[in-house]
Amino acid sequence: MDTKRFETDVIHKGYNAEQHNGSLAPPIFQTSTFVFDSAETGAARFAGEQEGYIYSRLSNPTVAMLEERIAAMEKGEKGLAFGSGMAAVSAILLGLTRTGDHILCSEGVYGCTFGLLQLMEEKYHITHNFHSMNDEESIRSAITDHTTVIYIESPINPTMKLVDLSMVARIAKEFNIPVVVDNTFSSPYLQRPLDLGCDIVLHSATKYLCGHGDVIGGLAVGKQELMSHLAMTTQKDIGGVMSPFDAWLLLRGIKTLPVRMDRHCENAKKLADLLKKHPSINRVLYPGDPDFPQYELANKQMLNAGGLISFEIKGDKAIAQKFMNHLELIKIAVSLGDAETLIQHPATMTHAVVPEENRIQMGISDQLLRLSVGLEAWEDIWDDIKQSLDSL
Ligand SMILES: *Cc1c(COP(=O)(O)O)cnc(C)c1O
């Protein structure tokens, strides 16, 4: 199918019912391997002289449907599916670097990405540093002769700070360095880094793309040549690939991404406004709040501000934990982007591996909480937050 509008592609792209007995839902090709009709066919497929499936770690029809769909959604040439968001991050970072290289990162990165960067430094002498990326000259001076990747999250987990993606992409072009963006927090519905000049976009598909809290998966999109190279090296040989059933669940979840995201954003805006006014709340970090320092940038590069709100409660760690324990509807859980509203405490959960000094520098205090606003009636979410705040 030709590429159509986003809301249509999320439903149709990558699947043609006519090729599958008219089945409206795509089939799950639950197979590890594929039968060759002759020895010569097998040889030709291995030699790359003939198209066709070989073995499901290399590619699988259900997974390929999802890869085509995500590529259309991110407006890129080729998509790749992985067994988790971290499998995508590690395949890409290991695929783009060698010993002695340097990775320039945004100020904050996902906790396990932080762990991976440390591992790469300790074991392979691939160094990294974190940078606020808010002005051009300092980015230029942070790029060294050894920098081979610029790695960005925006919004940054969990402080919601943004990075101007087109500005960084423009500078990176001068140095011919690929820019990789973890777009998990926005989903391709709200932000499309490739359109802004970045080179690879990746997702923890576990989050908004799935939307229902029942899959661990990763997706990445970029130029054909680069992605094929990663597919044939770090994806295939490290082997963190997605199962056909998980690809099927993601094909299903993605169909409702635009309508879900609209509701996540609407609910989050209402809750951010109410949190701001509550006397027990110190500050609210939400890019859709006109008082958010980068509100203009959010409007420039995102369609809407997303469903994540971080806020600081007045008091200390014990008060933050007491508040969480008193919630009834809202569930205490890491992850995000699900139908259910989830709350977590970054300092002791997602960012517990980050040394305290770095954590404080990143703006993650003991009183900071991150709310993944779900799809429930916003009034019910607010009632739950309010009863717990009032009980403190
Ligand atoms: C969850 C998450 C990841 C890791 O994804 P998994 O699917 O859990 O491996 C990476 N980046 C961000 C921003 C995330 O939220």
Side-chain angles (χ1 to χ4, degrees):
M1 192 188 79
D2 293 343
T3 298
K4 293 203 164 38
R5 289 172 183 79
F6 189 87
E7 290 78 356
T8 307
D9 280 343
V10 294
I11 297 170
H12 294 280
K13 192 74 187 177
Y15 181 59
N16 183 352
E18 283 172 26
Q19 292 167 1
H20 298 286
N21 300 308
S23 174
L24 178 69
I28 306 171
F29 286 87
Q30 191 70 28
T31 185
S32 55
T33 197
F34 297 83
V35 177
F36 307 134
D37 61 10
S38 69
E40 289 75 13
T41 298
R45 289 203 188 156
F46 269 89
E49 290 158 4
Q50 190 198 88
E51 295 250 326
Y53 293 97
I54 295 174
Y55 184 69
S56 283
R57 181 158 41 73
L58 313 183
S59 63
N60 169 281
T62 311
V63 177
M65 292 170 198
L66 174 64
E67 291 176 335
E68 192 178 333
R69 186 164 301 172
I70 191 67
M73 290 165 66
E74 287 287 6
K75 313 273 183 238
E77 290 176 8
K78 184 173 170 61
L80 293 180
F82 296 86
S84 68
M86 284 316 302
V89 174
S90 53
I92 290 166
L93 288 182
L94 290 169
L96 294 177
T97 53
R98 61 182 68 222
T99 297
D101 285 352
H102 168 251
I103 304 171
L104 183 62
C105 302
S106 55
E107 190 174 76
V109 293
Y110 182 71
C112 298
T113 303
F114 186 88
L116 173 72
L117 289 164
Q118 279 188 316
L119 179 149
M120 288 170 69
E121 185 150 335
E122 279 161 25
K123 292 180 77 107
Y124 308 118
H125 304 292
I126 297 162
T127 61
H128 62 270
N129 68 299
F130 299 102
H131 193 279
S132 67
M133 299 207 178
N134 47 23
D135 97 276
E136 295 201 20
E137 270 325 298
S138 78
I139 298 173
R140 280 198 185 86
S141 55
I143 293 172
T144 74
D145 290 345
H146 299 284
T147 307
T148 48
V149 181
I150 297 179
Y151 186 89
I152 302 173
E153 283 183 29
S154 181
I156 293 174
N157 180 26
T159 55
M160 310 308 292
K161 280 186 197 161
L162 308 182
V163 173
D164 187 332
L165 298 178
S166 46
M167 174 188 73
V168 176
R170 198 172 61 241
I171 297 167
K173 288 252 152 29
E174 293 169 18
F175 294 84
N176 204 17
I177 299 168
V179 178
V180 179
V181 179
D182 179 338
N183 202 25
T184 302
F185 269 36
S186 304
S187 87
Y189 180 60
L190 300 182
Q191 173 171 282
R192 286 197 280 277
L194 302 184
D195 277 351
L196 300 172
C198 302
D199 300 278
I200 293 183
V201 57
L202 68 88
H203 290 274
S204 168
T206 312
K207 317 292 169 57
Y208 285 111
L209 290 169
C210 171
H212 297 77
D214 46 18
V215 170
I216 297 280
L219 289 166
V221 181
K223 284 251 182 339
Q224 179 74 43
E225 197 184 327
L226 181 55
M227 300 314 279
S228 297
H229 172 72
L230 294 172
M232 291 309 291
T233 54
T234 50
Q235 187 193 38
K236 171 175 77 72
D237 297 337
I238 297 176
V241 296
M242 182 179 285
S243 81
F245 182 60
D246 285 346
W248 184 85
L249 282 170
L250 283 166
L251 283 164
R252 172 177 151 131
I254 281 173
K255 290 184 190 184
T256 54
L257 178 74
V259 286
R260 286 188 283 110
M261 288 314 291
D262 284 344
R263 173 67 78 86
H264 283 299
C265 293
E266 270 169 43
N267 279 358
K269 179 72 172 73
K270 292 218 167 74
L271 294 172
D273 287 346
L274 288 163
L275 280 166
K276 263 179 83 174
K277 290 186 204 131
H278 198 283
S280 306
I281 301 300
N282 230 348
R283 58 187 189 129
V284 173
L285 306 172
Y286 183 60
D289 170 11
D291 294 329
F292 186 74
Q294 295 169 300
Y295 180 68
E296 296 298 319
L297 178 57
N299 279 332
K300 191 182 95 175
Q301 72 184 14
M302 298 170 76
L303 180 68
N304 205 333
L308 288 151
I309 304 172
S310 290
F311 58 94
E312 238 174 27
I313 201 160
K314 285 184 186 159
D316 53 16
K317 180 166 127 186
I319 296 283
Q321 290 180 326
K322 193 170 169 210
F323 166 73
M324 293 169 82
N325 290 335
H326 212 269
L327 292 166
E328 288 162 8
L329 178 72
I330 299 171
K331 304 289 180 263
I332 303 173
V334 296
S335 199
L336 56 108
D338 295 328
E340 295 83 358
T341 298
L342 305 178
I343 194 162
Q344 67 110 354
H345 184 240
T348 58
M349 295 180 184
T350 51
H351 290 66
V353 296
V354 181
E356 188 176 353
E357 187 191 307
N358 300 59
R359 188 158 56 70
I360 299 302
Q361 199 188 328
M362 285 157 78
I364 305 167
S365 69
D366 282 347
Q367 303 89 268
L368 189 76
L369 294 164
R370 190 195 71 192
L371 191 70
S372 169
V373 178
L375 303 177
E376 302 97 336
W378 66 268
E379 293 92 335
D380 290 326
I381 308 171
W382 176 246
D383 285 350
D384 195 28
I385 292 173
K386 191 165 180 312
Q387 66 75 23
S388 186
L389 286 175
D390 292 348
S391 79
L392 294 175

